[in-house]
């Protein structure tokens, strides 16, 4: 992607960029895309498990988020709004495509993890290639109920705080904390069998 | 599980929990290439540039015309059905109309009120009035608690029964319960 330089002035806020986008400024869209594409991609990937599907979900979500800005109305940040669309789109896409990867991951997750490569938390890439670690984490995530997985992914991969996750999911902060508590417990239990301490 | 832990290194209480975020960062998915990002951005540009259907505001007078036209059409149909002279020559004069079939001019799905003045709200009645009394699906006496099971996440709720012979249970699951 070509580098985007809107100006040498201080970085524009999301609201300013959205206002420019509304006036037809293509560079504003480029900048919004550059800012949030990575977080959107991580969330979509964690929920879908396939890179191509994740990229599809990201681009569709940007289109949907930007063409439905009247629903956004600035009640939350653009990032929160976008990740809400991303997580919904990812789950929809996963259902539309028959949960291909999710089903296979859940099948894997339902079996006891055994004799796999070990990973250390101190140096996570030691003992595992990054791709293997990524697959292991996908297996662990697949062992969570959908609500916990979505909450955890928005918090950790989407880098949203409790309040923002609550906004995205339309739940209370207490429910976010509860889901994260149980998600962490289950991830510990799953990964603990594979992780060196 | 074998261990590579250095015995001289101080033990941390919960290394897995405290470093879970770091582990997920280390295992983050590989990002698309700049070329793939550029292609995706191009599709986003094309996607947002598609013509959008903007809601068409309906003026009060246009809404009035719509309603008047509907009423006129309905009246014409009613007259045509009810008055033999409107039906043209029949093969057997004087024969009563055997069947009167409703001819729907429009139904609820054909009418969409996009906006109206609040002051006019009381003047519009469309279709049947909504049900205004509560619908009771079941009452306390209809419920009998036979058994309880753990939910899929392993939680087991607390159950308290009413003391005065009422079989209605009160069930709740505190968040602090471990699975």
């Amino acid at each position: 992607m070509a580098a985007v330089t809107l100006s040498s002035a201080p970085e524009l806020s999301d609201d300013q960029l959205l206002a420019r986008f509304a006036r037809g400024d293509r560079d504003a869209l480029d900048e919004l895309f550059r800012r949030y594409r990575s977080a959107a991609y991580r969330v979509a990937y964690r929920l879908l498990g396939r890179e191509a599907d994740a990229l599809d979900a990201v681009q569709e979500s940007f289109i949907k988020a930007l063409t439905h800005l009247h629903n956004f109305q600035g009640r939350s940040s653009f990032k929160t709004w976008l990740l809400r669309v991303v997580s919904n789109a990812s789950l929809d896409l996963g259902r539309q495509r028959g949960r291909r990867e999710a089903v296979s991951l859940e099948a894997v997750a339902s079996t006891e993890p055994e004799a796999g490569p070990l990973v250390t938390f101190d140096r996570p890439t030691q003992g595992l290639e990054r791709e293997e670690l990524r697959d292991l984490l996908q297996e662990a995530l697949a062992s969570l109920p959908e609500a916990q997985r979505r909450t955890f992914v928005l918090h950790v991969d989407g880098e949203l705080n409790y309040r923002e996750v609550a906004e995205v999911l339309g739940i209370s902060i207490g429910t976010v904390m509860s889901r994260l508590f149980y998600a962490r417990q289950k991830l510990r239990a799953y990964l603990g069998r594979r992780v060196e301490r | 599980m074998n261990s590579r832990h250095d015995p001289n290194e101080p033990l941390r209480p919960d290394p897995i929990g405290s470093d879970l975020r770091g582990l997920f960062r280390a295992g983050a998915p590989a990002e698309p290439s700049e070329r793939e990002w550029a292609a995706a951005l191009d599709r986003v540009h094309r996607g947002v540039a598609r013509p959008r259907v903007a809601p068409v505001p309906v003026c009060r007078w246009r809404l009035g015309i719509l309603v008047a036209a509907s009423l006129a059409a309905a009246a014409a149909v009613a007259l045509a059905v009810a008055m033999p002279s409107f039906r043209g020559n029949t093969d057997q004069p004087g024969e009563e109309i055997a069947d009167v079939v409703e001819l729907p001019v429009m139904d609820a799905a054909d009418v969409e009120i996009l906006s109206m003045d609040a002051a006019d709200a009381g003047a519009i009645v469309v279709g049947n009035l909504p049900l205004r009394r509560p619908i009771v699906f079941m009452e306390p006496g209809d419920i009998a608690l036979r058994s309880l099971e753990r939910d899929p996440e392993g939680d087991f709720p607390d159950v308290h029964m009413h003391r005065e012979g009422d079989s209605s249970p009160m069930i709740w699951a505190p968040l602090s319960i471990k699975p």
Side-chain angles (χ1 to χ4, degrees):
Chain A
M1 185 176 67
V4 176
T5 51
L6 285 172
S7 70
S8 58
E11 192 175 62
L12 295 173
S13 71
D14 289 355
D15 288 343
Q16 290 170 315
L17 289 172
L18 288 170
R20 289 189 175 202
F21 165 73
R23 294 195 297 268
D25 185 342
R26 288 174 60 92
D27 287 347
L29 193 161
D30 291 355
E31 174 62 12
L32 286 167
F33 187 80
R34 186 195 62 74
R35 279 185 192 180
Y36 299 118
R37 65 184 191 181
S38 295
Y41 181 77
R42 285 195 302 271
V43 168
Y45 178 85
R46 295 292 196 206
L47 294 176
L48 283 163
R50 285 172 57 98
E51 293 167 354
D53 287 351
L55 192 55
D56 283 350
V58 169
Q59 70 190 35
E60 285 304 315
S61 298
F62 266 96
I63 293 170
K64 195 174 289 184
L66 291 168
T67 54
H68 292 77
L69 282 175
H70 54 282
N71 293 334
F72 166 52
Q73 295 178 332
R75 284 176 294 194
S76 56
S77 70
F78 176 72
K79 180 184 178 185
T80 305
W81 165 246
L82 175 68
L83 292 187
R84 177 180 188 166
V85 177
V86 168
S87 63
N88 287 336
S90 299
L91 294 175
D92 287 346
L93 195 59
R95 292 185 189 112
Q96 284 171 13
R97 298 186 178 179
R99 293 181 171 276
R100 289 174 309 201
E101 195 66 16
V103 167
S104 65
L105 285 178
E106 282 163 11
V108 170
S110 65
T111 62
E112 283 291 309
E114 54 180 292
L118 294 173
V119 58
T120 65
F121 276 87
D122 285 339
R123 285 169 289 176
T125 53
Q126 175 180 312
L128 269 186
E129 294 299 326
R130 181 189 174 114
E131 191 175 343
E132 291 174 313
L133 174 61
R134 192 183 64 206
D135 291 345
L136 174 63
L137 297 178
Q138 285 300 110
E139 291 174 16
L141 283 172
S143 72
L144 301 180
E146 182 178 289
Q148 289 177 13
R149 180 165 64 235
R150 199 176 181 192
T151 306
F152 183 86
V153 165
L154 285 168
H155 179 56
V156 173
D157 291 296
E159 298 178 343
L160 298 181
N161 60 33
Y162 290 177
R163 182 184 55 78
E164 290 169 330
V165 174
E167 283 178 8
V168 168
L169 298 178
I171 57 179
S172 69
I173 290 179
T175 304
V176 171
M177 295 169 71
S178 169
R179 287 184 185 176
L180 288 176
F181 171 78
Y182 288 124
R184 288 187 185 114
Q185 272 199 333
K186 288 171 183 166
L187 290 173
R188 281 184 207 131
Y190 189 95
L191 294 170
R193 303 173 197 140
R194 303 279 288 273
V195 176
E196 281 194 12
R197 303 191 185 207
Chain B
M1 178 179 298
N2 61 354
S3 174
R4 294 179 199 165
H5 180 73
D6 180 356
N8 297 319
E9 182 183 333
L11 283 170
R12 290 172 298 168
D14 186 3
I16 295 179
S18 60
D19 289 343
L20 204 52
R21 184 186 292 272
L23 191 66
F24 272 79
R25 282 190 182 141
E31 287 225 1
S33 65
E34 282 303 318
R35 176 178 293 186
E36 289 171 313
W37 278 131
L41 177 58
D42 185 53
R43 286 190 287 271
V44 172
H45 272 294
R46 281 187 272 127
V48 298
R50 283 183 214 136
R52 292 171 232 165
V53 179
V56 180
V58 175
C59 302
R60 290 181 64 189
W61 65 268
R62 288 181 63 191
L63 181 62
I65 288 175
L66 179 65
V67 172
S70 304
L71 291 175
V77 170
L79 281 172
V81 170
M83 298 178 64
S85 59
F86 273 76
R87 305 184 70 209
N89 294 329
T90 57
D91 293 338
Q92 295 176 307
E95 182 186 357
E96 292 191 359
I97 301 170
D99 298 312
V100 177
V101 181
E102 288 185 7
L103 178 63
V105 177
M106 61 174 59
D107 60 25
D110 298 323
V111 180
E112 184 178 5
I113 300 174
L114 299 179
S115 66
M116 61 181 293
D117 282 359
D120 296 336
I124 286 193
V125 177
V126 179
N128 297 321
L129 291 173
L131 188 65
R132 290 185 176 178
R133 56 185 168 77
I135 304 175
V136 180
F137 289 105
M138 60 176 62
E139 294 178 329
D142 299 329
I143 302 171
L145 182 63
R146 297 178 185 279
S147 66
L148 284 171
E149 295 178 1
R150 290 188 182 278
D151 68 17
E153 297 179 24
D155 296 332
F156 198 87
D158 282 346
V159 181
H160 291 253
M161 305 299 292
H162 201 280
R163 289 183 176 179
E164 297 176 4
D166 187 343
S167 61
S168 309
M170 176 179 285
I171 304 172
W172 75 86
L175 294 177
S176 59
I177 290 179
K178 286 189 175 182

